[in-house]
Amino acid sequence: MPRPKSPVRSEWLDPAVCSLDYRLKIIGRLPFFKHLPGDAIGWINSLFHDQDVEVGQTVYFEGDEADHLYLVALGKIKLVRNTEAGKEVLLDVLRGGEYFGSLPAFGRHVHTETAISLTAGCILWVSSEEFEKILSRYPDVTRKVLEAVSLRLEQSQDMVRQLSTYTVEQRVASVLLRLGEKLGETRGKELLIQLPLSRQDLAAMTGSTTETVSRVMSRFSEEGMVRTGRKWVTIMEPSALEELIKRGEVN
Amino acid sequence: MPRPKSPVRSEWLDPAVCSLDYRLKIIGRLPFFKHLPGDAIGWINSLFHDQDVEVGQTVYFEGDEADHLYLVALGKIKLVRNTEAGKEVLLDVLRGGEYFGSLPAFGRHVHTETAISLTAGCILWVSSEEFEKILSRYPDVTRKVLEAVSLRLEQSQDMVRQLSTYTVEQRVASVLLRLGEKLGETRGKELLIQLPLSRQDLAAMTGSTTETVSRVMSRFSEEGMVRTGRKWVTIMEPSALEELIKRGEVN
DNA sequence: CGACTTTTTGAGTCTAGTCAAAACATGTGG
DNA sequence: CCACATGTTTTGACTAGACTCAAAAAGTCG
């Protein structure tokens, strides 16, 4: 069998990525702020700081004081929790336009997860005080933040449901579909996920082990449902994975 | 071996439970409102309706239109999610003073879980419109709601971590401790949980099966760590369960 | 090319699920 | 108060899914 050719197109980092224009676009599209008029966005933008991150860089650790709110401008950020035993649990992968971190405003005083960049990219952040300024000038932003947190809660509860009732195979299929939907690019009827997702990461997302995930992925490949490389995964037949989740087995 | 004598004291339902006084107390203590002055609480109280619930009654179903916010006044409410395959996942058990249900204000339009009473009791509720009135008169309530939802998110993520990394034994121990901490009454160094928790319920809280939970509970009983009856569980040695979670095994 | 990391595969073991039956409670009506 | 029907819990035997440990294979990078 020929080595799968990588469908990844390198879109190289524009050095001007966190340019004013780009920042305005990101901030203006954020659910928190997108209802606000342009001048408000401009003012909010002036309160944000930007920072480039490289692959594998830790933005903050679980347990660190929670006094910054972050936005992903470019790249992908993963949120993980660690157990005392050293196992890691991957809670979510964020793309441009999503928030992370937390604030005393959310009732949290320390971060409850660790944030690590999966790719090189750029993030924006505001301090607690600066965010308070935004909230006091535009109080309905609180409402938007509430909506965003509610959505995360719902997703987390769905995760609980899946971990409680799915087999590893179903969980892997589910994670692939979720990532595909969220981060994937449509290539015909296929779905390309450009992400340096290791078996380790997939295991941490499914409450499993690298070996088991590897076996499951091999099976999926044999069945022609997915195709994977080191920095990408292509879902050849999303519907087949969906079927598998419903039926609970490969046939 | 003699049948374990039930330590349960029947505290019978006062028919005047949802009396004005009691309602004011519940509402005044709620994190959402407890920062507000007495007259505000009085006004808010006037917007709430009350309703008695009996054992096993469903307050609302997953998928129902989400236009009410509920408070537990008296009794215990469980929140469950169901899978297509008919398995149930028990997300949380609520006691007096906790909220449930959701609102368009939270960005949800249908309930994402089913609410069922575990005991006879009484709940309070407001409609979406009424809650909006509260929010517009006391905008900082939004902030409190945000804090409450953030806390639930954190707890849910912890649940994810446990399901991902703990054995069934550890998860059962963890659930018992959590319930004990939240709903238990201290009896000397023991902790009594007065709750009609079936093996079914425990299985649904731990992502396991009735049989496995039964075996685990039997083991815990033999080791003298817990003692159970049909409508109660006593944790004889909380520290033993904590040890077990850390070490990962009974010795 | 060679050192290193990640992934895959294999073999063996164990945890937890399944199916089935017995034991135990609970509630009802005679 | 007992006998019976019903539902829940416990126990047993078996199976299977997933983990562990170990080694080989493949990919990455200087």
Side-chain angles (χ1 to χ4, degrees):
Chain A
M1 197 186 287
R3 158 157 19 131
K5 227 185 27 237
S6 169
V8 174
R9 311 253 163 80
S10 16
E11 312 159 348
W12 274 124
L13 275 184
D14 181 349
V17 130
C18 272
S19 68
L20 184 61
D21 262 12
Y22 192 78
R23 288 178 47 150
L24 284 172
K25 207 172 74 176
I26 284 288
I27 291 173
R29 278 185 185 167
L30 201 74
F32 296 177
F33 305 130
K34 69 165 174 243
H35 63 295
L36 296 173
D39 57 334
I41 302 291
W43 174 70
I44 289 171
N45 177 60
S46 74
L47 295 177
F48 272 88
H49 307 248
D50 56 35
Q51 181 188 335
D52 289 331
V53 292
E54 37 189 282
V55 180
Q57 185 178 333
T58 300
V59 180
Y60 56 77
F61 287 99
E62 191 175 346
D64 283 357
E65 193 187 352
D67 53 4
H68 295 281
L69 182 73
Y70 300 86
L71 305 181
V72 181
L74 196 95
K76 307 282 183 276
I77 300 283
K78 67 175 177 181
L79 303 181
V80 306
R81 281 196 176 199
N82 286 95
T83 64
E84 298 97 49
K87 281 187 220 164
E88 92 172 15
V89 178
L90 206 166
L91 295 170
D92 206 353
V93 176
L94 308 180
R95 60 174 164 182
E98 291 191 282
Y99 79 97
F100 64 110
S102 51
L103 288 175
F106 301 11
R108 307 267 66 79
H109 295 91
V110 295
H111 290 296
T112 54
E113 77 285 315
T114 299
I116 300 172
S117 64
L118 277 174
T119 66
C122 173
I123 59 179
L124 305 177
W125 56 272
V126 274
S127 69
S128 188
E129 298 81 43
E130 289 163 330
F131 196 71
E132 288 296 337
K133 283 187 206 158
I134 297 175
L135 290 182
S136 61
R137 190 180 302 196
Y138 303 103
D140 48 346
V141 168
T142 310
R143 173 78 69 105
K144 300 292 178 184
V145 175
L146 174 57
E147 285 176 22
V149 175
S150 296
L151 184 63
R152 292 254 172 112
L153 173 59
E154 194 192 330
Q155 288 166 349
S156 176
Q157 289 180 339
D158 205 58
M159 199 73 222
V160 169
R161 206 204 53 205
Q162 293 189 7
L163 286 167
S164 297
T165 61
Y166 283 3
T167 61
V168 171
E169 187 165 80
Q170 288 173 302
R171 302 204 292 266
V172 172
S174 173
V175 161
L176 291 177
L177 286 174
R178 188 146 25 95
L179 290 177
E181 216 170 296
K182 183 172 176 178
L183 313 167
E185 300 156 38
T186 305
R187 292 268 204 274
K189 48 173 276 194
E190 299 160 16
L191 207 50
L192 169 65
I193 306 168
Q194 282 195 44
L195 211 56
L197 264 194
S198 64
R199 303 289 124 155
Q200 187 72 256
D201 288 325
L202 278 173
M205 294 188 89
T206 53
S208 180
T209 60
T210 53
E211 294 95 328
T212 300
V213 167
S214 175
R215 280 181 243 269
V216 169
M217 291 296 281
S218 297
R219 231 177 302 159
F220 286 175
S221 285
E222 280 163 28
E223 305 278 334
M225 295 188 281
V226 303
R227 191 168 276 261
T228 78
R230 197 160 273 257
K231 292 184 168 134
W232 54 275
V233 178
T234 301
I235 302 174
M236 309 300 284
E237 298 191 53
S239 58
L241 290 179
E242 281 160 18
E243 264 308 299
L244 187 149
I245 291 171
K246 278 193 207 129
R247 304 160 74 104
E249 49 194 354
V250 189
N251 293 313
Chain B
M1 198 188 286
R3 160 165 10 137
K5 223 177 43 228
S6 168
V8 174
R9 310 253 162 82
S10 15
E11 313 160 345
W12 274 122
L13 273 185
D14 182 349
V17 132
C18 271
S19 68
L20 183 61
D21 263 13
Y22 192 76
R23 289 179 46 152
L24 283 172
K25 205 171 74 177
I26 285 288
I27 291 174
R29 278 184 185 168
L30 200 75
F32 296 176
F33 305 130
K34 68 166 174 244
H35 63 294
L36 297 174
D39 57 334
I41 302 291
W43 174 71
I44 288 170
N45 177 60
S46 74
L47 295 177
F48 272 88
H49 307 249
D50 57 35
Q51 181 188 335
D52 290 330
V53 293
E54 37 189 281
V55 180
Q57 184 177 333
T58 299
V59 181
Y60 56 78
F61 286 98
E62 192 174 347
D64 284 357
E65 194 189 350
D67 52 4
H68 296 282
L69 183 73
Y70 299 86
L71 305 180
V72 182
L74 195 96
K76 307 282 183 279
I77 299 284
K78 67 175 177 180
L79 303 181
V80 306
R81 282 196 176 198
N82 286 95
T83 63
E84 299 96 50
K87 282 187 220 164
E88 91 171 17
V89 178
L90 205 166
L91 296 171
D92 205 354
V93 176
L94 308 180
R95 60 173 166 183
E98 291 192 280
Y99 80 96
F100 63 111
S102 51
L103 289 175
F106 302 12
R108 309 266 63 82
H109 295 92
V110 295
H111 290 297
T112 54
E113 75 286 315
T114 299
I116 300 173
S117 64
L118 277 174
T119 66
C122 174
I123 59 178
L124 306 178
W125 57 271
V126 274
S127 69
S128 188
E129 298 82 44
E130 288 162 331
F131 196 71
E132 289 297 336
K133 284 187 205 159
I134 298 174
L135 290 183
S136 61
R137 191 180 301 197
Y138 303 104
D140 48 347
V141 168
T142 311
R143 173 79 70 108
K144 300 290 177 183
V145 175
L146 173 57
E147 286 177 21
V149 175
S150 295
L151 184 63
R152 291 254 172 111
L153 173 58
E154 194 192 330
Q155 288 166 349
S156 176
Q157 289 180 339
D158 204 59
M159 198 73 223
V160 169
R161 207 205 52 206
Q162 293 191 6
L163 286 167
S164 296
T165 62
Y166 282 4
T167 63
V168 171
E169 188 165 81
Q170 288 173 301
R171 302 203 294 265
V172 172
S174 173
V175 161
L176 291 177
L177 287 175
R178 187 146 24 95
L179 290 177
E181 215 171 296
K182 183 173 176 179
L183 313 167
E185 300 157 38
T186 305
R187 293 267 205 275
K189 49 173 277 194
E190 298 162 16
L191 206 49
L192 169 64
I193 305 168
Q194 281 194 44
L195 211 55
L197 265 194
S198 64
R199 301 291 123 148
Q200 187 70 257
D201 288 325
L202 279 173
M205 294 188 89
T206 53
S208 179
T209 61
T210 53
E211 294 96 327
T212 299
V213 168
S214 176
R215 280 182 243 269
V216 170
M217 291 296 281
S218 298
R219 231 177 302 157
F220 286 176
S221 286
E222 279 163 29
E223 306 277 335
M225 294 189 283
V226 303
R227 191 168 276 259
T228 77
R230 195 161 275 257
K231 293 184 166 130
W232 54 275
V233 178
T234 301
I235 302 175
M236 310 299 284
E237 298 191 54
S239 59
L241 290 179
E242 280 161 19
E243 264 308 298
L244 187 150
I245 291 171
K246 278 193 206 129
R247 306 159 74 103
E249 48 194 352
V250 189
N251 292 312

